[in-house]
Structure formats: structure tokens, C-alpha cells
Amino acid sequence: MANALPPTNNNGDEEVFDEPPTFIDLNSAVEVKVDDAPAADDDEDAMMDDDEMAHNQHATTNNNAADETTTSNEQPPIIDQSKATFTSHTDAIYAITSHYDTQSNTLYIVSGGGDDRAYLHLMTTSNNNKAQTKTIPLAHPHTDSISCVALNTSYITNDVSGTIQANQIAVGSYDGSIVLYSTTDGTLLHVFEGPTDVEWARFHPKGGTVLLVGSIADGTIWMYHTPSKQCLQVFVGHEGGVTDGSFTMDGKAIVSCGQDGTVRVWAPKKGVCKHVFRLMDVNGGSGGGEEEGGGGGLTCLAVGGGQDGQLAICGGEDGNAYVVHVSGKKVVATLTHFEESATTATATTANNNNTANGQGEDGMEEDEEGFVEARSVEAVGFCPGNIPGTAHWCATGGVDGVLKVWNMNVGGVGGAQLRQKCTRGADVKAGITRLRWHNSLPLVIASYTDGVVCIWDARVGTVVGTFTGHEDMINDMDVSFVDGSNAAVIVTGSDDKSVKMFEFHP
């Protein structure tokens, strides 16, 4: 990670590598195959009569025109603008997390994918600005895809005895296992028994010693104390899969959202549900999620909004995002992200009159797993409160490829004012998969299904940075920030089986 990151850190000790470092080839070549047309046979040409010659000349003209059209439609080679690429995985990568340690100048990346494997990637920049990398396979033999990964390093503090807690990695899988590893060397620490089909994992923001995980299958949420390796609570109440969840920023409550269209607030110590926000009428209000015919409900969640940090926002497959006040038990705003065009409205009306022929209620073709909502909101986030003039802003990103920036402090339709609608152009059909706000600037970093990362200025709605390199959809993205600098380290995992790291310097 050359020329970028000034040395500082939380731990103090410089990373020691047991194996010789490998170096990343930053100049990946792209091979382009060109098919040359075979030469014509002169003898056959001599035997053609005038009609054949005229016919073939006409055909040749048409073929040449077609060739020119094909050539003009060919996509140019993708320029790899990443600073590093890791290719350990043999299948699509579904989960990414990262932490940049400024004292040792080391970037920690954890990735998990469809190959049932998880890896710890270490990247250290030396004094001569040369990056040394090391990849450590994480040992547990999973039997299904890795769905989530988490690091507690950002939350570590001294406990009551003054002891610094351990840096840990949590890896969750659809095989139902939750595995703890050491961040230092990838040593396996413990395997928790938990829910089936683990969907997400989050550490407690005060100390990082409590781990929260949710299930997409049985609708439960489990809470563990990692030092004692004990299960503290199991939260039961969702009527479908739990798609996302988190502790509030003060750590005093748990917020979760699910396929049943609800956001639920839980008391961590008592294990009871304190409030239910019923935001979507999924399956006629009966819940059940996609497996029982529901529309998939709520998709994603972010917490920590507002002056008191008590706002939570979630995205829905109905094209809306919902903002609630956790402790106040109030729905603050309904943000209409998806804008139905005249064409879409006509198609939806026609489909409602005839839902046969394997189509869903929204006019989308069904696949083997059911239809995919074209209007779904897949990413949400609050602007950090320390950024002047934007403390009440939030952002939503959808499969329609639109990024919207909202002002929660100014009432409007649905309870908020739409400030910016950011699109990459009418010819770009890629949807948004993840978004993150910059920690000190009014910028939104978004990843897309065409493998591109864009940085948007939320004040004016323009792109201030674009990164390419992936050859397929970005499934997950994380961003680390360098202390004392506005530099952002962007880490992505893609269907192209690669992990890439990009550096953004405003």
C-alpha cells in the first residue's frame, strides 16, 4: 500500500510474519482473443457465375456491417485500479471486513465465500513503501458458504482489571457454525453452537467481547460472551428470517430487521423484545418471509443516526427505507427510494391482471428461488454526526442503481427531504450492493453489481472518484480510515473470486 498510510496503531507491536512475504502483481494483463476470418479460395471464386458473385458480395457487405457492429459493442478491457488483489478463494466472495492498524501500518482483511472457506489477509507497508502481504487460511472445515465475518479490533478497550481484550475474528456460515479466531495469527479459538443458517454477525461496540449473530432460517438471534465462550441470550420473536441486526451505538439495546417486515428492539440483559415496528405488510401481515410466499421484507439495517444516536434505518424490498427512533418507539420517516416509471406502472398493472406464466406480482420473471424485487433497497447508512452541516443526513442505495441522499432535519414527503439523486447514467444498469459514509467528509462510497466503486459528494450529487478492477458483481465492501488523514482504504469481495483493495485520497 505504497505512498499512503502514515504509521500509527492501537496495539503497538509490529506484525511478525513466519513465512516469506509474497508480492502482488499490480499490472495484471488482460488477454484479448481475436478470430481472423479465413482467406477465400481463389479457385472457387473463379467458378462463380455473375449471380453468385452478386449474391455473395451482398452477403459479404452485410457480414462486414455485422462485424463492425460487433466490434463496436465489445467492452474495452477493465483497468485494474486496485492497490492489491488476493485470489485465494475458488468461488464467489460473499463477506468482507477490514481494519487498518495505523501504528504497525498493517491492513487486516477477513474474507469468506461460496467455497466454504475463510481467509485472513495481512498487508503491511514498510518504510520503503513496499507492501508485504500474507494470507492465512482459517482452519475450521465449513460445509456451506461463509455468510458473514466480523472483527472486534475497533471496539477493544481495557476491561475492569485493566487487561486489554483479545483481537478476534468471528466467522459465520450457512452450516450454522460461528467460529472465533485470533486476529494476530489466525489461530482457531472456539466454535460456538448456534442458529441454523447464520446470516450476520456484529460485535458489541463497548469492548468487543460480546458477539451477536442472526439466522436467516429459524428467525432467532444469539448473543455470546467471547472470553467465557458462553451463550448469554437467545432472542425469539421474528416470524421469518432475520436479515440484519446490530447493537445500538451506546450498546444498551439490540435492533434487528427481518423478512417479516418488522424492526424489533431487544433488551440484551433480559432477552425480551421491548418494541416491534411493523413497517411492511408482508404476506398479508402474517409474516413468514420468502419461504412462505412473502416478499422478502426488510433487507438491511444501519444504526447510530440523529443527535442522540437513537435513529435506525432499514431498507425494504418494497422500494422504501424506514427510519425509526429506537428508544422513542416512533417511526420517524418513510423514504420513497424507488420511483415507479410509467413503463413499470403499466407492466405492474398488466401483471396484476394476469400473474400466470411464472411471473411475480411486480412483473419480474421468477427464477428457481422466486422472483427478485427490482425495487429493493439494498444499502442504507447515516452520515457521521461530526461532519458540519450534514449531521442529519442519510443515504439509500437500491438495485435500481440510484443513490439518494436525504435530510432528516427538514420535513418533507414521508418525513425527510430528498437532497440528491445520484445516478451513473441512463446506459448504466448496475445496482448498488453496499454503501458507506466517509468518517470525516460528506462523501458516500458505493459498490455496484458491475464491479465498480464510486465515491459521491453528498452535497452536490457528483462523482469524485471511481475505481474499477473487478470483472463481476461486488457482493460486499468495507472501508477503513487512516487516523490523522482523510484517506480511505476500500476493500471489496466479488463474484469474480477476488478480494481487492483500493485507496482513495480526497
Side-chain angles (χ1 to χ4, degrees), residues 73-154:
N73 290 334
E74 288 180 354
Q75 297 297 321
I78 296 173
I79 299 174
D80 190 355
Q81 297 174 299
S82 65
K83 294 293 184 180
T85 300
F86 299 89
T87 57
S88 306
H89 287 276
T90 60
D91 205 338
I93 298 166
Y94 300 137
I96 283 286
T97 190
S98 64
H99 174 75
Y100 184 73
D101 189 355
T102 51
Q103 188 169 0
S104 65
N105 240 17
T106 300
L107 176 65
Y108 295 84
I109 304 171
V110 183
S111 61
D115 54 2
D116 309 345
R117 298 300 305 272
Y119 292 91
L120 170 62
H121 312 280
L122 305 175
M123 183 175 179
T124 301
T125 303
S126 60
N127 292 333
N128 61 1
N129 285 329
K130 179 157 286 189
Q132 297 180 337
T133 65
K134 181 180 181 181
T135 293
I136 303 172
L138 300 181
H140 184 75
H142 290 281
T143 60
D144 207 339
S145 297
I146 307 299
S147 54
C148 55
V149 291
L151 286 165
N152 73 343
T153 309
S154 300

Side-chain angles (χ1 to χ4, degrees), residues 411-483:
V413 177
Q417 179 190 62
L418 175 63
R419 286 193 56 87
Q420 300 295 340
K421 178 181 177 182
C422 309
T423 60
R424 291 167 56 196
D427 57 332
V428 179
K429 305 301 181 183
I432 293 175
T433 57
R434 295 288 186 270
L435 70 81
R436 283 285 304 272
W437 283 87
H438 195 284
N439 70 337
S440 58
L441 296 172
L443 305 176
V444 181
I445 304 165
S447 61
Y448 291 80
T449 56
D450 61 354
V452 175
V453 175
C454 291
I455 296 92
W456 297 88
D457 188 328
R459 297 165 299 183
V460 293
T462 58
V463 173
V464 296
T466 301
F467 294 105
T468 60
H470 282 296
E471 298 178 355
D472 210 330
M473 174 190 300
I474 296 175
N475 293 312
D476 202 5
M477 177 186 72
D478 195 21
V479 184
S480 298
F481 300 97
V482 181
D483 293 342

